[in-house]
Amino acid sequence: MTTSLSPIASAFGGSAANESPLPSWKEGATKQSIVNFVRGVTTAGDPRFVKREERIAVFDNDGTLWSENPFYFQLAFVLDRMKVLALQHPEWKDNLLYSAVLRDDLKAVTGAGERGLLELAMITHAGMTTEEFSKIVEDWITHARHPKFNRPYTEVIFQPMLELLGYLRANGFKTFIVSGGGVEFMRVWAEKVYGIPPEQVIGSSIVTKFEMREGVPVLTRLPQLNFMDDNVGKPVAINMHIGRRPIAAFGNSDGDLQMLQWTAGGSGSRFALLVHHTDAVREYAYEGTSMGKLEVALTEAAARGWTVVDMKSDWNRIFPFESAK
Amino acid sequence: MTTSLSPIASAFGGSAANESPLPSWKEGATKQSIVNFVRGVTTAGDPRFVKREERIAVFDNDGTLWSENPFYFQLAFVLDRMKVLALQHPEWKDNLLYSAVLRDDLKAVTGAGERGLLELAMITHAGMTTEEFSKIVEDWITHARHPKFNRPYTEVIFQPMLELLGYLRANGFKTFIVSGGGVEFMRVWAEKVYGIPPEQVIGSSIVTKFEMREGVPVLTRLPQLNFMDDNVGKPVAINMHIGRRPIAAFGNSDGDLQMLQWTAGGSGSRFALLVHHTDAVREYAYEGTSMGKLEVALTEAAARGWTVVDMKSDWNRIFPFESAK
């Protein structure tokens, strides 16, 4: 993965703390709102100043740090994994849902609803140790390719957000992922791709069990949901894992609303941002499709003065592999 | 709390990274095992070298970082809190367990077993927002006094372990608490007392619920256990919160056994240590009492070559307020 990640890594180290930050963000109100916030909380004596240890920033992942189209990348993992496992399960051809997966009938798969997807997640994410699972994910993420861009999923990430992560960290922020995605799925690659270490990745999880196997300690992954890190779950998870309220939050859907409310609802300097997918040419435009519901959060953003990124007009570059407009 | 904590804070900043570390540890095999481990993992080119980001150290709290006698300090909080709440609950005098608490009948209280203690914990830890609870704990920890030493509980902490925390951090370690104690109880004071920030405190928890109250986001604490961070729960919690296996673990009871097994069971350099309470004069000697069961872990320590601290002979100073022997 080193080769494929090198352009991404360069996004972090490219510039000094406050020297022309955020090159992929066009000049304008959106970029200015970010820079103003960061200047305020880092300037000693400024009434907006925030102590370094309180500078916690939380980021949704799907649709905020990387793309979530044509469907959640983790679903691609689930479907690919089902095909591998099917080799040992000839009986799956008689199961409506499983056979739909095997013949790439996405409509039938998504038609099975949340319960169907959860069933597929359990089959593909449980029944092995945590270390075995990490290896499976690492192998998949190295070899799988995004269907539209024909690149590793770890390159279908948003260059402006990489710059933002680096900019915040250069200004003393600790950056966390708070995602509905599986925590042990993301931790395998989040440090290399985003510079976010495993202990700063928060996500959904299944139950694990500690046991000694012939004198060797293992954690076994069980087919049982432990925590769903979405909607009202996000502030709960933030409190559980971080234990202090973030001062900045970044999301892109109604599933991030409560995280933004929780972040913005504290005292002192606060920043909340929504990424609005508006670029049908370079990425995807959600409006008029069933993708990434954002109505409630957009309304609240307008009412509360949160920043909304219009991807089409605010970003002069979307992916690391793409040159600037 | 600033005044009472100043002697403690000085334990961290006193000496440079490798210059006469651990002054409260007597010279000998125990101290040497710690220093050897740290030198190995921090010396580039040494086969024992460990990358900085993998230098994760986990510490039990009760009996490892602070005393746990004459009973868990958090139980003192529970009992004190019950007395405050009783003013609004005259009917408690008719409840066997509650009235035992109110007349300081500790024997009856502990006789109620785990279920009774859990009931008291729920009454005292739930029914308010997370922010309200933090304020209650902060007020209590500032004013409560240890019955034997007549000092704040946050001073009844082990000076050698403070030095160890500082020594590890000076050598690039990230230090975490992994305790059976309540996570939101510890986070209030752990940063000031141990230099461990909230996001590196892992503990037991109750369920919290996100809600908007007249436009204000709150997390409400519900009287329902979420996670018990003890025994087999500790490796599970470590994996959930940290997402990588620690290379060093410190405990003092059989409840820490699985955390030590999980830590020691990884590849490369590993360090596991047990604090054995053997000093009846300066602190407490557990042997022959019902306190802090350690039989299984001590046996495993002998079999696997883990380090065991004999408090009486290995530490020339136990508490920050005490002068060296």
Side-chain angles (χ1 to χ4, degrees):
Chain A
M1 273 174 72
T2 311
T3 310
S4 69
L5 292 174
S6 54
I8 297 152
S10 71
F12 298 134
S15 63
N18 280 299
E19 199 181 317
S20 58
L22 311 176
S24 299
W25 294 72
K26 284 193 201 160
E27 296 304 325
T30 302
K31 177 173 180 171
Q32 205 52 52
S33 73
I34 297 171
V35 173
N36 282 346
F37 166 72
V38 171
R39 284 200 185 136
V41 301
T42 55
T43 303
D46 192 297
R48 297 169 300 168
F49 180 77
V50 174
K51 284 186 297 182
R52 180 175 278 252
E53 61 266 32
E54 298 285 345
R55 291 184 212 149
I56 303 282
V58 288
F59 290 80
D60 171 57
N61 184 43
D62 298 300
T64 300
L65 292 180
W66 73 0
S67 184
E68 58 186 351
N69 276 297
F71 44 69
Y72 290 137
F73 295 174
Q74 194 169 354
L75 180 56
F77 168 74
V78 167
L79 302 181
D80 285 351
R81 188 75 197 140
M82 285 294 289
K83 289 171 191 165
V84 173
L85 293 173
L87 301 174
Q88 284 131 50
H89 294 278
E91 77 280 9
W92 281 3
K93 69 178 192 310
D94 303 322
N95 178 302
L96 271 182
L97 176 59
Y98 303 171
S99 62
V101 172
L102 302 181
R103 63 171 192 275
D104 283 322
D105 184 349
L106 264 177
K107 205 169 165 183
V109 171
T110 51
E114 205 169 301
R115 204 176 143 181
L117 291 175
L118 196 62
E119 187 180 338
L120 296 177
M122 291 307 155
I123 291 173
T124 50
H125 286 65
M128 71 291 277
T129 69
T130 50
E131 298 200 334
E132 287 161 355
F133 182 70
S134 293
K135 285 189 190 111
I136 291 166
V137 173
E138 185 155 23
D139 182 61
W140 179 82
I141 202 94
T142 307
H143 295 102
R145 292 293 178 270
H146 187 279
K148 176 172 172 181
F149 300 108
N150 195 30
R151 289 174 176 271
Y153 288 100
T154 48
E155 292 187 22
V156 188
I157 58 182
F158 303 134
Q159 174 65 26
M161 298 304 283
L162 290 180
E163 294 168 7
L164 180 55
L165 285 169
Y167 175 58
L168 290 173
R169 289 196 290 257
N171 282 283
F173 280 78
K174 215 177 224 187
T175 53
F176 289 78
I177 290 174
V178 180
S179 167
V183 65
E184 300 209 59
F185 176 80
M186 296 184 286
R187 279 173 172 161
V188 172
W189 46 265
E191 188 160 30
K192 288 183 198 163
V193 175
Y194 302 136
I196 298 180
E199 61 269 27
Q200 287 162 223
V201 177
I202 301 168
S204 296
S205 57
I206 62 176
V207 174
T208 60
K209 188 186 166 206
F210 176 85
E211 52 189 340
M212 295 296 286
R213 278 195 195 159
E214 299 175 2
V216 178
V218 294
L219 286 167
T220 310
R221 294 170 59 80
L222 306 184
Q224 188 187 335
L225 187 67
N226 178 61
F227 188 80
M228 183 60 84
D229 187 28
D230 204 13
N231 301 295
V232 292
K234 290 202 173 190
V236 168
I238 287 170
N239 185 59
M240 179 66 63
H241 287 252
I242 308 179
R244 43 185 154 205
R245 201 192 289 231
I247 64 165
F250 304 84
N252 82 304
S253 80
D254 286 349
D256 301 315
L257 174 64
Q258 292 83 358
M259 173 170 85
L260 270 65
Q261 287 174 323
W262 177 242
T263 300
S267 59
S269 291
R270 302 281 150 179
F271 190 77
L273 179 148
L274 286 169
V275 174
H276 196 191
H277 291 255
T278 53
D279 196 321
V281 176
R282 294 184 298 169
E283 202 241 0
Y284 296 86
Y286 289 9
E287 205 161 300
T289 75
S290 64
M291 292 195 280
K293 285 208 169 67
L294 182 61
E295 288 164 38
V296 185
L298 267 187
T299 306
E300 185 129 344
R304 300 197 180 244
W306 298 346
T307 296
V308 178
V309 170
D310 181 331
M311 282 175 72
K312 190 172 175 179
S313 62
D314 284 327
W315 289 355
N316 58 42
R317 186 176 168 200
I318 289 189
F319 299 114
F321 54 78
E322 167 199 313
S323 54
K325 259 206 305 198
Chain B
M1 275 173 73
T2 312
T3 311
S4 66
L5 292 174
S6 52
I8 297 152
S10 70
F12 298 133
S15 64
N18 280 299
E19 198 181 318
S20 58
L22 312 175
S24 298
W25 295 72
K26 284 193 199 158
E27 296 305 325
T30 303
K31 178 173 179 171
Q32 206 51 51
S33 73
I34 297 171
V35 173
N36 283 346
F37 166 72
V38 171
R39 284 202 185 133
V41 301
T42 55
T43 303
D46 192 298
R48 297 169 299 167
F49 180 76
V50 174
K51 284 186 297 182
R52 181 175 277 253
E53 61 267 32
E54 297 286 345
R55 290 183 213 150
I56 303 282
V58 288
F59 290 81
D60 170 57
N61 184 43
D62 298 301
T64 300
L65 293 179
W66 72 0
S67 184
E68 58 185 353
N69 276 296
F71 43 68
Y72 291 135
F73 295 174
Q74 194 169 355
L75 180 55
F77 167 75
V78 167
L79 302 180
D80 285 352
R81 188 75 198 140
M82 285 292 290
K83 289 170 190 164
V84 173
L85 294 173
L87 301 175
Q88 285 131 50
H89 294 278
E91 77 281 8
W92 281 3
K93 69 179 192 309
D94 303 321
N95 179 302
L96 272 181
L97 175 60
Y98 303 170
S99 62
V101 172
L102 302 181
R103 63 173 191 275
D104 282 322
D105 184 350
L106 264 179
K107 206 170 163 181
V109 171
T110 51
E114 204 169 301
R115 201 175 144 183
L117 290 175
L118 196 62
E119 186 180 336
L120 297 177
M122 291 307 155
I123 291 173
T124 50
H125 287 65
M128 71 290 278
T129 69
T130 50
E131 298 202 333
E132 287 162 354
F133 182 70
S134 293
K135 284 189 189 112
I136 291 167
V137 174
E138 185 155 24
D139 183 60
W140 180 82
I141 202 93
T142 307
H143 295 101
R145 291 294 177 271
H146 187 278
K148 177 173 172 179
F149 301 107
N150 194 30
R151 288 174 179 272
Y153 288 100
T154 47
E155 292 187 21
V156 188
I157 57 181
F158 302 134
Q159 174 66 26
M161 299 304 284
L162 290 181
E163 294 168 7
L164 181 55
L165 286 169
Y167 175 57
L168 290 173
R169 289 196 289 256
N171 282 282
F173 280 78
K174 216 176 222 188
T175 53
F176 288 79
I177 290 175
V178 179
S179 168
V183 65
E184 299 209 60
F185 175 80
M186 297 184 286
R187 279 173 171 161
V188 172
W189 45 266
E191 188 160 30
K192 288 183 196 163
V193 175
Y194 302 135
I196 298 180
E199 61 269 28
Q200 287 162 223
V201 177
I202 300 167
S204 297
S205 57
I206 61 176
V207 174
T208 59
K209 188 186 166 206
F210 177 85
E211 52 189 340
M212 294 297 285
R213 279 195 194 160
E214 298 175 3
V216 179
V218 295
L219 286 166
T220 310
R221 294 170 59 80
L222 305 184
Q224 187 187 337
L225 187 67
N226 177 60
F227 188 81
M228 183 59 83
D229 186 28
D230 204 13
N231 301 294
V232 293
K234 289 199 174 192
V236 169
I238 287 169
N239 184 61
M240 179 66 61
H241 286 253
I242 308 178
R244 44 184 154 205
R245 202 192 288 231
I247 64 165
F250 305 84
N252 81 306
S253 81
D254 286 348
D256 301 314
L257 174 63
Q258 292 82 359
M259 174 170 83
L260 269 65
Q261 287 173 323
W262 177 242
T263 300
S267 59
S269 291
R270 301 282 152 178
F271 190 78
L273 180 148
L274 286 169
V275 174
H276 195 190
H277 291 254
T278 53
D279 196 322
V281 176
R282 295 185 297 170
E283 202 242 1
Y284 295 86
Y286 289 9
E287 204 160 301
T289 73
S290 64
M291 290 194 281
K293 286 207 170 67
L294 183 60
E295 288 163 38
V296 185
L298 267 188
T299 306
E300 184 131 345
R304 300 198 181 242
W306 297 347
T307 296
V308 178
V309 171
D310 181 332
M311 281 176 71
K312 191 172 174 177
S313 63
D314 284 327
W315 288 355
N316 59 39
R317 187 175 167 199
I318 289 188
F319 299 114
F321 54 79
E322 168 199 312
S323 54
K325 255 204 310 196

